[in-house]
Amino acid sequence: MKSEWIKNRETGIKKLNQDLECDVLIVGAGMSGLLCAYQLQNIFEHIVIIESDEIASGASGRNTGKLTSQHGFNYQEILKIHGEEKTRLYYHENERAIHELKRICEQYDIDCEYSEKDAVIGCKSVYMTKRVADEIKAYDTCDIPYEVIREDEVEGIRYGAKFLKQASFDPYQFCIQLASNLNCEIYERTPMMHIHDHVVKTKDHAIRFKHCILATQVMPFQFKFFYTLTAPKQTFLAALKPADKNSLMILSEDEITKTKNNMKNFMLVGGYDHALSDDSNFKWQSFKRDLVLEYPNYRLLSTWSSQDYQVTDYLPIIDRCDDFIVITGFNKWGNTNAYVASLTVKDILEEKVTERRELFSLKRKSLVFSKNFISENYQVLKSLIESKIHDSKLMIPENHQAISFQLDRHPYGIYRQDDKLYIVDTLCPHLGCTLKFNDHDKCWDCPCHGSRFSLQGDIIKGPSSVGLHHSECLVSELKVDK
């Protein structure tokens, strides 16, 4: 489902209809891609952006709308792996991003409900107070300013920490209005099919480039090793009306992670963060139940899911890789990290040696030599093996439901819509993991690396570069076991 930000909005931007040559090609028109164009538009003459769907249709238009350097409980992890100096640098880069994004809003008169707010992390349960205390200890070690939140100061928070003068905004409107002010060409519904030797091929055309920036969140098929460094994570979100009077942006971490942000016309709540290898449908049903229990007097406007990539050492990857510059792994904090990424890309193209470049380098040892790297890839391997185990008995699913089955030891999936059946090969074309059905979004998801496919097998999101083998038939045409 579309998020409340994107709901019922169309950009009207056309898809690519000719071959092109350009100085800089940016693949992906989310916040990071658009901000890269913003940083480079006065340096390079001809910049082109292509987007497989529409501007900000991915994580950029489906997030919480928070602009904060308070990135959940990540600082304690970054400090353990990278030390004080780099943790402090990460904080200052993201804190700077908040103020620079405000400046861009003022520069182009972007109406995106930019509003200064304080941000809070904390917990409600006693057994999570140590995790909060560890995060606060990391703030103290790295001289990061905060205020302690004690019991009854903030509803639902027993113990926490507050960052002052953070902000929130409508990320979709920011992207749409920024795009309209950029000195570049933008083409929607133009997916990249292949990239080689300074040429990107789409379905019908080719773009020759001098420099290419992959701001796609997920990497093309040939960069297989990226899928050992990152893991897809999913969050459920909902927009409720009316907006709460409390202007704080809140993230609580207990048994269930929950987030809240109040905008002018609605309150955004979310949670149930999980890996795609988990049971998404169970998480979704639990989220819906909690919405009814916790907000009985609010009207539900919309629900949706958002997907992002967690890097094994908690820092994004922004670096040159072969002939390309890659941007990935914002760890669910992409609104400020997108701006940081754009500055880092500018450093790379201007061949500047900076601390920022070193911080996000693909060559950093912590990407591989970490417990997270080992555990994440064990889970991927586990999902790959478990995904091969299917009940081979073939049955007709109930209406608007899906089932998985095997035929000659090969996995397939069937979705029923009234009398019509959509049958797809559920072996992911990327690296061979068996897909799981996402009942909330009505699509097939890869639990290993995050590819998503429609009921008809079309690509919704990579890293897969091709769709699924598929067919359609009527219920009366399909032979099944009795």
Side-chain angles (χ1 to χ4, degrees), residues 281 390 394-405 412-417 420-424 426 435-445 453-455:
N281 293 332
H390 279 275
L394 179 58
M395 300 175 63
I396 295 289
E398 297 294 327
N399 197 23
H400 302 299
Q401 298 294 318
I403 63 168
S404 298
F405 68 98
Y412 295 88
I414 301 178
Y415 180 83
R416 180 174 179 176
Q417 186 170 314
K420 198 167 190 178
L421 298 175
Y422 298 99
I423 307 170
V424 296
T426 55
L435 307 176
K436 291 185 177 182
F437 186 70
N438 184 325
D439 191 51
H440 173 248
D441 293 330
K442 303 298 182 186
C443 62
W444 294 95
D445 290 348
F453 304 88
S454 72
L455 300 176

Side-chain angles (χ1 to χ4, degrees), residues 155 238-242 244 258 260 267 269 287-301:
E155 184 180 358
L240 304 172
K241 204 166 186 177
D244 198 353
K258 295 182 180 178
K260 181 187 291 187
M267 175 174 66
V269 297
F287 178 62
K288 287 198 300 182
R289 179 200 63 209
D290 278 4
L291 285 177
V292 174
L293 293 175
E294 293 188 31
Y295 305 100
N297 299 320
Y298 289 77
R299 180 164 64 91
L300 180 64
L301 300 178

Side-chain angles (χ1 to χ4, degrees), residues 242-257:
D244 198 353
K245 293 180 181 179
N246 186 350
S247 62
L248 291 172
M249 301 182 293
I250 300 172
L251 178 68
S252 63
E253 180 140 323
D254 291 291
E255 181 181 354
I256 302 165
T257 302

Side-chain angles (χ1 to χ4, degrees), residues 22-216:
C22 62
D23 295 319
V24 179
L25 173 63
I26 300 172
V27 183
M31 275 194 69
S32 57
L34 295 169
L35 286 168
C36 283
Y38 169 80
Q39 299 289 353
L40 302 174
Q41 62 184 346
N42 295 324
I43 301 173
F44 296 95
E45 183 176 346
H46 190 191
I47 299 174
V48 173
I49 303 176
I50 59 171
E51 166 59 45
S52 62
D53 194 347
E54 295 180 353
I55 291 174
S57 58
S60 296
R62 304 176 71 85
N63 64 59
T64 60
K66 295 181 180 181
L67 284 172
T68 177
S69 57
Q70 188 187 59
H71 291 175
F73 293 80
N74 287 355
Y75 281 100
Q76 58 189 289
E77 308 298 341
I78 297 171
L79 179 61
K80 288 176 190 174
I81 299 170
H82 301 280
E84 293 180 30
E85 185 177 340
K86 290 184 177 180
T87 304
R88 196 177 291 116
L89 175 61
Y90 178 82
Y91 163 75
H92 285 297
E93 289 290 340
N94 280 276
E95 185 70 13
R96 172 188 178 181
I98 300 169
H99 306 292
E100 290 299 311
L101 289 168
K102 179 182 180 181
R103 182 186 58 77
I104 292 173
C105 291
E106 294 169 347
Q107 177 183 354
Y108 292 126
D109 195 23
I110 294 175
D111 181 12
C112 61
E113 294 187 50
Y114 185 100
S115 176
E116 187 176 284
K117 296 177 182 178
D118 297 336
V120 170
I121 61 162
C123 64
K124 185 176 182 179
S125 59
V126 175
Y127 73 89
M128 287 298 294
T129 55
K130 184 182 184 304
R131 182 156 170 78
V132 177
D134 287 344
E135 190 70 8
I136 290 175
K137 185 178 179 180
Y139 298 160
D140 288 332
T141 301
C142 299
D143 303 316
I144 296 173
Y146 68 94
E147 291 184 358
V148 174
I149 298 295
R150 308 233 177 246
E151 193 168 3
D152 298 328
E153 290 184 28
V154 174
E155 184 180 358
I157 298 294
R158 174 187 294 272
Y159 179 49
K162 180 194 293 184
F163 278 20
L164 302 177
K165 296 183 178 180
Q166 308 295 285
S168 71
F169 74 144
D170 180 333
Y172 181 77
Q173 277 302 317
F174 176 84
C175 289
I176 291 296
Q177 294 179 49
L178 175 63
S180 67
N181 283 282
L182 293 175
N183 182 26
C184 65
E185 297 177 34
I186 303 177
Y187 299 97
E188 293 184 333
R189 291 170 291 280
T190 304
M192 177 180 71
M193 306 301 291
H194 184 68
I195 182 168
H196 179 67
D197 194 23
H198 287 263
V199 175
V200 158
K201 291 186 178 179
T202 67
K203 184 178 179 180
D204 301 309
H205 300 285
I207 307 172
R208 181 169 292 278
F209 57 82
K210 294 179 182 177
H211 306 283
C212 181
I213 301 164
L214 301 178
T216 52

